[in-house]
Amino acid sequence: MDTSTATPKPSRTERFVSHVIERCQQDKGLAARLRRADNPATEYQSWELLATFSIDLEREEQRLPFASVACAIARAKAESNGSLSLGRAIAACYEDGRDSDQAKARLRRLLACDDIAELCRLLRPLFSLIDSRAGQPLDYQRLLQQLLRFSRDPQQVKARWAQDFYGQATDEETP
């Protein structure tokens, strides 16, 4: 067998994002339930989908990232995974980009987060802003990976967002 043509098995985050995009396009009822997944009072409506991916619903550091990203995909009516990182998306929402005081304030607020619950609460209005102003879709897979890593290594995740915002992406991430 030629291993150069073998494709690696998609990661859990890739499978999840692809599945949510596909299901939201096919099932408007599910899409409506997922749009409410980032509200603590109605988050339970996403649990059936989360449970099919073996997400531990009792652990918010697992549940909240998946629910938040599913909600963002459903609200944006995403047709595919994008390529825009969170840091660049924030800058893209403002005319002055990374020089905008409002953009810097939004980034600083994210960087000040201490836990995943607070972070996911702050992302809620930010997703709407990005969807309406950024002009291109987020890289939901990368964002989900970062949110899952946040509970273990928040400084690394925050540093990546800041680096992306200020335009200092590493060579491997530069398109």
Side-chain angles (χ1 to χ4, degrees):
M1 181 174 154
D2 184 6
T3 57
S4 64
T5 59
T7 56
K9 183 180 175 190
S11 70
R12 181 183 190 196
T13 57
E14 288 174 297
R15 288 191 320 273
F16 180 80
V17 168
S18 296
H19 182 79
V20 170
I21 290 169
E22 184 178 312
R23 288 287 312 276
C24 283
Q25 291 173 346
Q26 297 170 352
D27 185 345
K28 299 306 175 197
L30 174 68
R33 289 189 302 276
L34 291 179
R35 283 193 293 273
R36 296 186 288 271
D38 65 355
N39 181 333
T42 55
E43 175 196 334
Y44 68 90
Q45 294 181 20
S46 69
W47 290 0
E48 180 181 350
L49 174 73
L50 299 183
T52 63
F53 278 85
S54 302
I55 294 158
D56 187 346
L57 299 176
E58 294 179 21
R59 296 181 52 209
E60 74 177 8
E61 70 273 5
Q62 264 196 38
R63 183 185 76 244
L64 292 178
F66 281 98
S68 296
V69 169
C71 179
I73 291 169
R75 284 192 179 153
K77 297 180 174 124
E79 296 178 7
S80 64
N81 188 47
S83 60
L84 196 61
S85 69
L86 185 61
R88 289 182 191 218
I90 294 168
C93 289
Y94 297 93
E95 202 172 296
D96 295 338
R98 66 182 187 196
D99 295 325
S100 164
D101 288 338
Q102 284 181 304
K104 288 177 186 177
R106 291 223 184 230
L107 177 68
R108 278 194 303 270
R109 184 62 189 102
L110 284 181
L111 300 180
C113 284
D114 292 325
D115 63 56
I116 194 68
E118 177 187 19
L119 178 62
C120 289
R121 266 193 317 276
L122 288 175
L123 285 173
R124 192 175 173 184
L126 193 55
F127 288 147
S128 296
L129 179 72
I130 291 167
D131 188 38
S132 68
R133 290 194 189 169
Q136 52 184 309
L138 278 168
D139 183 340
Y140 296 106
Q141 292 172 7
R142 181 190 317 178
L143 179 61
L144 180 54
Q145 290 166 348
Q146 291 171 335
L147 294 176
L148 290 168
R149 190 178 315 125
F150 188 85
S151 294
R152 293 185 319 273
D153 192 2
Q155 289 309 111
Q156 189 269 338
V157 174
K158 291 175 188 181
R160 174 83 267 153
W161 291 340
Q163 201 164 19
D164 288 345
F165 177 85
Y166 291 110
Q168 303 299 317
T170 60
D171 289 338
E172 68 185 32
E173 291 188 353
T174 304

